[in-house]
Amino acid sequence: MILAFVVGGVLSVFQFKIIENRMGTDGDSQKTDQAYILVDNAQKQIDELKKQGIDVTKIDDPQVQESLQLIEKTPPRWKVEYAGKLGILLAVLAFVMVVAALMKKQVVTKLSIAVIFLALGVWLCAPYIEAGKYSGENPKTIALIALVALTISSVCAFMSYKFIPERSSDCI
């Protein structure tokens, strides 16, 4: 239970850093804003061409093709923002679950279910970002590994509360 929590918790906490490395922003909010300003400008350019009735997929203009690739490659902003924040919340909630399981508190049943659903939510909103030269592992894959590890930890915490009896004080 604890080993699975450590693996899943650490990966969940560093989810935001992995996303920033993949996007090339290195934690700088100004670089993130600049990246999304470029995406917005590219989207406006494509929309303008579509209003003119031009099929943008058949244009050989390198600037239009670059704009299409930029739009396709960049994940939605909400995924970038929420995946990291939810990952940190998930790690904190999983830590509370492990502590509650070790203390044999009844709240561990609700926490284990909440951890599984939140881990699933983190995996669903984690963006798939193509690899760069020095970018590390894909955030979607990291979120999947954290989901599996925290699910194992949650099941172990639930079972330890339900099936392992509490020590009585009269055996001392």
Side-chain angles (χ1 to χ4, degrees):
M1 170 179 65
I2 295 172
L3 180 63
F5 158 72
V6 169
V7 170
V10 167
L11 290 177
S12 295
V13 167
F14 289 114
Q15 181 75 18
F16 74 95
K17 191 65 177 164
I18 293 166
I19 293 170
E20 289 171 354
N21 285 344
R22 275 286 171 121
M23 289 188 63
T25 59
D26 299 323
D28 188 1
S29 62
Q30 289 179 347
K31 286 183 181 179
T32 304
D33 291 339
Q34 289 174 353
Y36 280 103
I37 287 172
L38 288 174
V39 170
D40 290 341
N41 290 340
Q43 186 64 48
K44 287 177 187 174
Q45 178 187 12
I46 297 300
D47 290 342
E48 193 174 300
L49 290 173
K50 285 182 180 178
K51 283 181 185 177
Q52 295 173 2
I54 300 172
D55 186 10
V56 293
T57 58
K58 296 180 180 177
I59 295 179
D60 290 335
D61 184 15
Q63 185 178 6
V64 172
Q65 294 302 321
E66 184 179 319
S67 296
L68 286 172
Q69 287 177 351
L70 179 67
I71 293 168
E72 182 182 314
K73 186 174 77 168
T74 307
R77 189 176 190 118
W78 69 270
K79 284 189 170 192
V80 171
E81 291 177 357
Y82 288 120
K85 293 174 185 175
L86 286 176
I88 292 170
L89 176 65
L90 174 62
V92 169
L93 193 63
F95 178 73
V96 171
M97 177 198 66
V98 168
V99 170
L102 293 174
M103 294 174 58
K104 298 289 185 193
K105 300 290 183 184
Q106 186 177 7
V107 73
V108 76
T109 57
K110 294 175 184 158
L111 285 174
S112 62
I113 293 169
V115 165
I116 290 172
F117 281 116
L118 190 57
L120 185 62
V122 169
W123 176 70
L124 288 173
C125 79
Y128 179 82
I129 303 173
E130 291 292 331
K133 191 170 184 178
Y134 302 107
S135 61
E137 193 57 50
N138 185 348
K140 194 80 163 177
T141 305
I142 295 296
L144 180 63
I145 295 168
L147 169 66
V148 170
L150 290 174
T151 300
I152 291 169
S153 180
S154 295
V155 168
C156 290
F158 179 78
M159 290 187 337
S160 74
Y161 173 73
K162 290 290 185 183
F163 300 120
I164 299 175
E166 200 172 323
R167 289 186 187 172
S168 63
S169 60
D170 32 312
C171 46
I172 297 176

